[in-house]
Amino acid sequence: MKTKLLIFVLFCIVGCGNEESRKLVVVPNPETGQDAIISRAHNKSNYGNLEILHLTSRIKQDTLMDDNRFVISFDLEQINKWAKVDSAFIYLYRSSDEWKESNRFLVHCIKEPWIEHRITWDNQPTVDEHRKVLISDTETKELKISVSPFVRDFVEREYRNMGFMFRLVKEDHKGRKVSFLSSNSKYDSLRPRLEVYYRVKNWF
């Protein structure tokens, strides 16, 4: 009888809590933002204070290869590891400075720490080649990118949250570029943001 009562009590503790749906919106600003461009042509330079994040593949002055990538990170510390992430989306806003070419790009999970005002092409962190998403549609002004499985892994501590790296699919073709506003933009509403929809249990 005592064993059955103990099982019943444990069941109530584990399974009887009510779930509450929540939404976290992270919008980095110039003080809190972690985003930067890295440039193959200027491989030792840091570009962590620009208002634009762009991906390029071009030849500068017909001689110098110049591929640009960018990295970005969002703070998820407000969500505890027991939360259940339903979905997560990164929103980016295109700038008007863009070349009209095929600009498909990849979003990779980053595997190593990096620092916004120190990262360069030469010291760029490694990325996870298996944890990535392909973006084909870059024509909309506001780009919505699903990163649900990645954020779920970050929250559950399956992987460390080192942020994301963006790069063009074809970096060996000149004349490709797509640009977005960064966390340094003077327009609050146009800065990158992450929206996370998740559930937590309420026990009382």
Side-chain angles (χ1 to χ4, degrees), residues 39-175:
S39 167
R40 183 193 297 271
H42 305 282
N43 55 308
K44 297 185 184 301
S45 298
N46 171 264
Y47 299 99
N49 59 353
L50 302 181
E51 293 191 13
I52 298 295
L53 297 170
H54 57 241
L55 306 172
T56 63
S57 180
R58 61 182 174 176
I59 299 178
K60 293 189 66 176
Q61 301 173 349
D62 296 327
T63 58
L64 184 63
M65 292 298 296
D66 187 21
D67 295 332
N68 285 184
R69 304 171 178 176
F70 70 81
V71 293
I72 189 168
S73 180
F74 298 92
D75 186 358
L76 295 170
E77 291 300 316
Q78 296 182 54
I79 306 179
N80 70 60
K81 65 179 295 184
W82 308 113
K84 300 299 182 183
V85 174
D86 294 317
S87 59
F89 304 94
I90 293 175
Y91 291 85
L92 298 175
Y93 295 86
R94 291 190 335 178
S95 75
S96 58
D97 180 18
E98 183 165 344
W99 302 333
K100 299 300 181 181
E101 295 288 344
S102 175
N103 292 323
R104 296 194 309 157
F105 62 88
L106 294 166
V107 183
H108 288 268
C109 287
I110 296 176
K111 298 171 65 176
E112 300 174 327
W114 52 277
I115 299 174
E116 181 188 36
H117 294 294
R118 295 184 183 179
I119 188 172
T120 67
W121 184 275
D122 282 356
N123 68 16
Q124 65 180 288
T126 59
V127 299
D128 192 328
E129 293 294 341
H130 301 290
R131 303 176 69 241
K132 62 188 176 184
V133 59
L134 172 65
I135 307 301
S136 298
D137 178 17
T138 61
E139 295 302 315
T140 57
K141 189 67 176 177
E142 180 187 54
L143 196 63
K144 179 181 179 181
I145 302 170
S146 175
V147 289
S148 303
F150 309 141
V151 171
R152 190 174 297 119
D153 287 343
F154 295 158
V155 169
E156 295 176 359
R157 310 299 194 266
E158 294 294 329
Y159 292 88
R160 294 180 66 191
N161 178 15
M162 297 287 105
F164 304 93
M165 180 180 290
F166 290 65
R167 68 175 182 85
L168 290 172
V169 172
K170 294 184 177 180
E171 291 183 321
D172 56 345
H173 288 61
K174 70 176 182 178

